Amino acid sequence: MPYKIVVLDGIYANPGDLSWEALETYGNLTVYNRTSPEQVMDRAMDADILIVNKVELRKPLLDNFPHLKMIVISATGMNNVDLEAAKALGVVVKNVVGYGAQSVAQHTFALILELTNRVSAHNDSVQKGEWDADKGFSYNTSPVTGLDGKTLGIYGFGSIGQEVASIGRAFGMRIMVVSNHAVPADYPFYEFVNLRELFEQSDLISLHAPLRDDNKHVVNSALLSHMKPDARLINTARGPLVHEEDLKSWLIAHPMAGAALDVLETEPPGPQYILFGLPNCIITPHMAWTAKSARKKLMDEVTLLVKTFVS
């Protein structure tokens, strides 16, 4: 009897420019773009294999899926699935890692360059007609910061952190790293330091560590107090790494500093989000991983995981 494969929130990996049809080789496939918490029970009840991105699967739900044999998380983070409950029920849980390293690194530098070159602000100025004769052939609405010779601090040195370091070095930046697993001798061009040293010495700090129990709100007022008054913080990792109220206070107190965030503690943030309206804070909608090439890799890996399981 063929497996019943159900994708519960497929729109994130495939908003319409790719296809899930490769999974049809391995079972009867049903794809839902989005599934609300109230819809999960009905849609997942008879599934043998569930594919989820951010849909939460906790023990009370898992206990009611008698046919479930496998969960594939079409993402790297696994905190939306009760792993202990799944293991107790004999349900295999797999995730996908490494698919978005280049895409996230690219977006990281898009944010860095927006902070340093203010391309959007200069375009807005020109479009408003502010490039007039009094300004001559060239003008700035805000200073441009060159990256050559600046120090880029990287917190977390997996595949994404390494890609960011490589790009930073190509810009002529000094690279400092905080890592729990890297062997410094393997990376002679980078300096390995502790977290306080990273925040004290870096001109730009980019977060690439996974979220763990011991590093939630690791970027807080105590750590921010060690940053240079014109330093910039970039977060394309996980929103809860940053204590957002502390960051807001720091940004207000340091108008020459800046932050660029692709991830927030609550997503979506709602209309009264604490960091809205700050002129030195840029926010994008958790999109760093969404390059089509990255999503294609993600979907190919999901298919491979299913193929390996059913074969």
Side-chain angles (χ1 to χ4, degrees):
M1 192 169 181
Y3 287 90
K4 183 173 182 180
I5 305 169
V6 178
V7 181
L8 288 178
D9 50 351
I11 196 168
Y12 299 112
N14 177 27
D17 55 353
L18 296 169
S19 174
W20 291 102
E21 67 180 11
L23 286 169
E24 294 176 354
T25 303
Y26 309 106
N28 295 326
L29 176 66
T30 302
V31 178
Y32 298 100
N33 278 340
R34 291 185 174 88
T35 297
S36 69
E38 295 76 22
Q39 294 172 317
V40 174
M41 180 75 76
D42 180 61
R43 293 181 174 182
M45 177 66 71
D46 298 322
D48 297 293
I49 299 173
L50 283 177
I51 298 171
V52 300
N53 186 284
K54 291 294 181 287
V55 168
E56 294 198 358
L57 298 174
R58 304 300 174 193
K59 187 178 188 301
L61 277 173
L62 295 174
D63 286 339
N64 288 282
F65 300 154
H67 306 289
L68 188 59
K69 302 172 180 65
M70 183 187 199
I71 300 168
V72 180
I73 303 171
S74 58
T76 301
M78 303 178 75
N79 55 307
N80 56 315
V81 175
D82 189 330
L83 301 178
E84 290 187 6
K87 182 178 180 180
L89 293 166
V91 177
V92 174
V93 182
K94 297 290 185 179
N95 66 331
V96 183
V97 299
Y99 65 91
Q102 290 80 15
S103 178
V104 177
Q106 176 179 321
H107 192 73
T108 297
F109 266 87
L111 295 174
I112 287 173
L113 292 170
E114 179 62 19
L115 286 170
T116 57
N117 288 60
R118 308 298 296 184
V119 172
S120 296
H122 285 87
N123 172 67
D124 290 345
S125 173
V126 172
Q127 297 288 345
K128 291 175 183 176
E130 295 176 357
W131 191 358
D132 56 33
D134 288 341
K135 291 183 171 62
F137 84 95
S138 174
Y139 74 100
N140 296 93
T141 64
S142 58
V144 173
T145 301
L147 295 180
D148 182 31
K150 296 295 185 183
T151 298
L152 173 62
I154 299 174
Y155 172 57
F157 203 56
S159 58
I160 298 172
Q162 291 174 38
E163 284 287 336
V164 170
S166 179
I167 297 170
R169 187 163 180 260
F171 272 103
M173 303 183 78
R174 172 194 180 197
I175 308 298
M176 303 185 76
V177 175
V178 170
S179 174
N180 292 328
H181 60 81
V183 178
D186 293 340
Y187 304 94
F189 299 110
Y190 308 145
E191 301 172 47
F192 287 78
V193 296
N194 62 44
L195 196 56
R196 176 168 172 171
E197 290 173 321
L198 190 87
F199 273 69
E200 286 176 339
Q201 299 185 44
S202 297
D203 300 293
L204 299 107
I205 298 166
S206 193
L207 308 182
H208 299 289
L211 180 65
R212 306 181 303 269
D213 290 341
D214 65 345
N215 68 358
K216 181 179 180 180
H217 291 168
V218 64
V219 180
N220 52 34
S221 59
L223 194 58
L224 290 166
S225 69
H226 296 291
M227 286 181 71
K228 297 178 180 180
D230 60 350
R232 283 77 179 262
L233 176 73
I234 301 93
N235 188 10
T236 57
R238 290 292 181 264
L241 292 173
V242 177
H243 191 293
E244 293 174 346
E245 291 186 5
D246 288 357
L247 177 61
K248 179 178 182 178
S249 298
W250 186 80
L251 288 171
I252 291 172
H254 299 87
M256 297 304 295
L261 312 173
D262 186 56
V263 289
L264 306 177
E265 189 149 13
T266 300
E267 299 172 349
Q272 304 302 317
Y273 177 57
I274 190 172
L275 293 173
F276 282 168
L278 295 179
N280 52 350
C281 185
I282 298 166
I283 302 170
T284 55
H286 203 143
M287 58 175 286
W289 67 283
T290 62
K292 185 177 181 179
S293 55
R295 291 183 288 105
K296 178 65 164 57
K297 290 178 186 177
L298 171 63
M299 292 176 67
D300 287 347
E301 185 62 25
V302 168
T303 301
L304 180 60
L305 289 170
V306 172
K307 175 184 178 181
T308 302
F309 181 77
V310 303
S311 299

